[in-house]
Amino acid sequence: MKITSSKPPYGVYTPLVTFFHEDESIDFAAVESHVRRMAKAGVAGLVLQGSNGEAPHLDHEERQEMITRTRLTLDSLGYEQIKLIVGCGAPSVRETLRYVAEAKAAGADFALVLPPAYWAPAMTAAVVESFFSAVAEASELPFLIYNFPTVASGIDISSDAIVRLGKEHPGTIVGCKLTCGNLGKLQRIWSSLPEDSFAAFAGKSDFMLPGLVGGSNGVIAALANVVPKVHVQLLNLWSEGKLEEGRKLQTKLSNADGALQKVGVAGVKAVVSYFFGYGSGKARRPLGTTSVQTLSEEILGPIAEVVELGKVAV
């Protein structure tokens, strides 16, 4: 299927967490409160059903309802311009394409696709590259390649492969999210593909500013669930050429992100609930539940510092 699409707009993207009730059903009221806070903070888009959204724990119907409700919430608040990138990765081409079709029908703008990782020993570089080509040939949405070895059996997609795929499928493969943290890879991809049609994203707050220097199209970062305004502020400082101020703010984000990475997905939700009054630290088993009361000051302190910054960020 031939798609001609522009890349996702430049900006901050929040990989949205999914809140659950105690019985593990989705807490849509909390999700909608979260979407509202993200939109008001000035994000360019939301990433649904990524690793932070517990994608493997959601069934097809839940995924569709999450997309539909998120789109309706944004539109009802006048934020029609905010884009939705939806995780659609699966072990097979067939299942991935089903997720893509369902995401499109529910209101997604872009898909985000992990490499297949179940049969890890069989997933050679050539097999992984052929997987993305096969998805691109039939996808109903433009999509980003998601490189996150931690959740993909250690599979790390090379810059050469991403560049080849971007050149072979322009308008369909329109970007990548690099949670791997390889800034050299980001730089190589940015310099090898047209910046106006391919978006390479740094995938963590920890290296947001270095990523921007290397050509990142903004950032997709878990910490944006907590302090979206601070990420927007750093983006603005970079755009205005205020590098020294940006470095100081990046240090605070790196410290907070380092702390947040220690608490897992449930911990991200617990932190959001503690500081902003909605949702809880409940995840679907086997991830369990986290409470802020169990977190040390070493973890909570750096996060609290950027939360205070977010109250005054413009």
Side-chain angles (χ1 to χ4, degrees):
M1 180 176 296
K2 182 65 176 176
I3 297 174
T4 302
S5 174
S6 60
K7 69 174 187 178
Y10 182 80
V12 173
Y13 288 72
T14 304
L16 224 64
V17 292
T18 304
F19 291 101
F20 298 109
H21 294 293
E22 281 303 307
D23 65 358
E24 297 192 6
S25 61
I26 297 176
D27 183 350
F28 282 110
V31 170
E32 289 172 11
S33 294
H34 197 45
V35 169
R36 186 177 303 111
R37 188 168 68 85
M38 295 301 110
K40 291 181 177 178
V43 300
L46 301 174
V47 179
L48 305 180
Q49 292 139 39
S51 50
N52 281 279
E54 295 179 61
H57 298 168
L58 303 178
D59 62 34
H60 283 264
E61 290 74 20
E62 288 174 325
R63 288 180 178 221
Q64 289 173 283
E65 188 172 5
M66 277 284 293
I67 300 164
T68 299
R69 284 180 178 245
T70 300
R71 186 73 268 165
L72 287 173
T73 298
L74 291 170
D75 292 352
S76 69
L77 296 170
Y79 293 103
E80 295 90 349
Q81 81 282 3
I82 291 180
K83 301 298 183 182
L84 296 184
I85 302 174
V86 176
C88 294
S92 70
V93 172
R94 183 184 180 91
E95 184 77 351
T96 299
L97 290 172
R98 180 183 172 190
Y99 279 130
V100 171
E102 291 171 349
K104 181 183 179 183
D109 298 292
F110 302 91
L112 179 68
V113 182
L114 278 166
Y118 184 81
W119 299 107
M123 295 300 106
T124 64
V127 168
V128 169
E129 195 167 336
S130 69
F131 164 83
F132 283 112
S133 282
V135 171
E137 287 167 5
S139 177
E140 295 184 29
L141 283 175
F143 69 88
L144 290 77
I145 294 169
Y146 188 7
N147 193 51
F148 190 7
T150 301
V151 300
S153 299
I155 293 171
D156 190 8
I157 308 164
S158 71
S159 55
D160 289 342
I162 294 173
V163 169
R164 276 195 299 270
L165 287 162
K167 288 180 177 179
E168 290 169 5
H169 303 281
T172 301
I173 298 180
V174 295
C176 60
K177 181 192 177 192
L178 302 178
T179 310
C180 56
N182 189 327
L183 293 173
K185 182 178 293 186
L186 190 155
Q187 183 86 53
R188 289 190 294 273
I189 293 167
W190 169 79
S191 64
S192 301
L193 291 167
E195 191 176 8
D196 60 350
S197 60
F198 192 95
F201 282 99
K204 285 184 181 178
S205 311
D206 203 19
F207 48 87
M208 179 178 172
L209 183 57
L212 293 172
V213 174
S216 179
N217 194 59
V219 71
I220 302 174
L223 185 60
N225 280 285
V226 184
V227 286
K229 281 187 179 180
V230 180
H231 291 77
V232 173
Q233 182 182 16
L234 180 53
L235 199 68
N236 291 339
L237 289 173
W238 163 251
S239 298
E240 295 164 7
K242 298 178 179 178
L243 187 57
E244 189 57 37
E245 289 181 56
R247 288 172 64 188
K248 291 177 181 177
L249 187 55
Q250 176 62 63
T251 297
K252 295 182 185 300
L253 283 176
S254 292
N255 289 337
D257 197 36
L260 197 69
Q261 290 175 42
K262 297 174 183 175
V263 303
V265 172
V268 176
K269 292 190 278 190
V271 167
V272 170
S273 179
Y274 175 75
F275 284 110
F276 303 102
Y278 55 81
S280 72
K282 179 73 176 178
R284 279 187 173 165
R285 292 169 290 179
L287 292 185
T289 302
T290 299
S291 168
V292 165
Q293 284 67 39
T294 66
L295 304 181
S296 68
E297 178 57 28
E298 182 183 31
I299 289 175
L300 209 54
I303 297 171
E305 185 175 1
V306 292
V307 169
E308 286 302 309
L309 286 175
K311 293 177 181 178
V312 298
V314 293

